[in-house]
Amino acid sequence: PFSASELPFWRGESLAGKRLLLMGEQGIGDSMMFATLIPKLKKEGADITLFPGDRLVSIYKRSLPDIQIITTDDLVNNRFKAKNFDLQSPLGSICQYRFTDLSDYGPNHNFLKADTTQTLKVRKRYDDGRPLVGISWQGGGKASRIPLKSLGLKQLSPLLSNPNFRFVSLQYGDDGPHLKRYQKASGIEVLHDNEIDPLRDMDGWLCQVAAMDAVISIANTTIHGAGGLGVPTLCLVRQQADW
C-alpha cells in the first residue's frame, strides 16, 4: 500500500521499538507459512501490524491477539498512513535477515486458533465413532501448475478404502461433483460438506480442519492450516518440490 519512498523497507536492522508493517504474500498458503515467524520478530521489541489479506483477517485477529491486524478497507479509507509505521516488509522477505537456520522454522505448535464452538459443531456433525481424517488432493495456482502438484483420487484409493477411518474432504473448489463420480466408480465414500466453502469462508474451513484427528494432503493451503493448528499432518510433495 505504500511506496518505498513513503515507507522504507526493512533491511535487517534492529527492530527494537520499531513499528513494522508486514504484508501478506501472493498466495494464502504463503502468507500462513511465513506468518509463523512473526512471534520471533515480536520478541525483538517490534510493534507489528499485519496486513494478511482480507480472507485471513478473522483468523489472525484470533490467533495473534497482540498483533494489530488491518484490512483493505482500513487502507482504502486512510485509517492507516505511512507515518503510522517506521518500516515495511512482505512476509516472505523477512527470512533473509533473521531465519537462516533450519531450526528457526516450525517451533510454534498450535500457532493458529480456530473458533472452538464452531469446531465442536463440525466434529459432532461428522462423528460416527471413527477417527476423522481430512484429505486434500489438488493444488491451486496457474492451470499449467495444477497437475504438477496434484493427485487423482484413484491414487488414494488404497488409503481411502480403509474402513477404520472416516475420510473428509478439505479440498477447496468444486469437489462435491468430483467426489460423487468417484464414489459411483469406486464405491468409496469421502464426506463432502456443502455448508463449508473454503474459498469464501476461510474461518469456517479452519474450524473444519481443526475438527480432524489427522490430515493427509498435497502441498497446498490445507497443510499450512492443519500444521498451524497442531493437527497431526502428512504433506505429500512431488519429486520436484517447491521447497
Side-chain angles (χ1 to χ4, degrees):
F2 307 112
S3 68
S5 60
E6 292 176 293
L7 183 61
F9 281 92
W10 180 49
R11 302 296 183 190
E13 62 266 38
S14 172
L15 288 172
K18 297 294 185 181
R19 300 169 300 171
L20 176 64
L21 172 64
L22 294 175
M23 297 162 288
E25 287 293 336
Q26 56 265 47
I28 290 283
D30 294 324
S31 293
M32 296 178 79
M33 176 168 56
F34 293 120
T36 61
L37 306 174
I38 290 176
K40 189 169 182 179
L41 297 182
K42 182 75 174 173
K43 288 180 180 178
E44 290 190 29
D47 179 9
I48 295 176
T49 298
L50 176 63
F51 175 41
D54 292 345
R55 289 167 62 196
L56 294 174
V57 165
S58 59
I59 292 173
Y60 282 97
K61 280 187 174 180
R62 184 188 310 113
S63 301
L64 294 172
D66 57 344
I67 300 294
Q68 182 168 240
I69 310 295
I70 63 175
T71 66
T72 301
D73 187 64
D74 289 329
L75 294 167
V76 168
N77 289 289
N78 292 315
R79 297 188 189 106
F80 294 90
K81 300 178 180 179
K83 67 180 182 181
N84 297 123
F85 311 103
D86 300 307
L87 299 163
Q88 65 174 326
S89 178
L91 272 172
S93 297
I94 64 179
C95 302
Q96 61 190 312
Y97 302 120
R98 290 292 187 274
F99 306 93
T100 57
D101 189 270
L102 191 61
S103 64
D104 291 328
Y105 296 87
N108 299 306
H109 298 289
N110 302 323
F111 175 79
L112 296 177
K113 307 296 179 188
D115 182 279
T116 304
T117 301
Q118 183 66 19
T119 298
L120 290 174
K121 286 181 180 178
V122 171
R123 186 168 179 88
K124 185 176 181 180
R125 198 160 75 236
Y126 297 170
D127 185 25
D128 68 354
R130 295 178 291 174
L132 300 175
V133 179
I135 65 162
S136 180
W137 59 93
Q138 181 170 298
K142 295 180 180 178
S144 60
R145 297 237 334 125
I146 290 176
L148 300 177
K149 51 194 265 189
S150 302
L151 285 171
L153 279 169
K154 286 183 180 179
Q155 293 174 278
L156 292 173
S157 290
L159 172 72
L160 301 178
S161 61
N162 189 324
N164 297 315
F165 303 93
R166 188 172 203 192
F167 293 95
V168 179
S169 172
L170 303 178
Q171 180 65 48
Y172 46 81
D174 191 20
D175 62 316
H178 191 60
L179 287 169
K180 283 184 179 179
R181 291 192 297 271
Y182 173 70
Q183 183 175 1
K184 186 175 181 180
S186 67
I188 299 172
E189 180 188 11
V190 176
L191 176 64
H192 168 74
D193 190 343
N194 284 316
E195 294 184 27
I196 294 175
D197 183 353
L199 296 177
R200 290 200 174 114
D201 180 14
M202 288 288 294
D203 215 346
W205 168 82
L206 194 72
C207 293
Q208 184 186 36
V209 178
M212 300 296 107
D213 293 296
V215 167
I216 301 171
S217 174
I218 54 87
N220 63 13
T221 306
T222 305
I223 291 297
H224 306 303
L229 288 163
V231 176
T233 302
L234 291 174
C235 178
L236 308 177
V237 295
R238 67 190 185 105
Q239 288 182 328
Q240 294 80 36
D242 291 333
W243 300 97

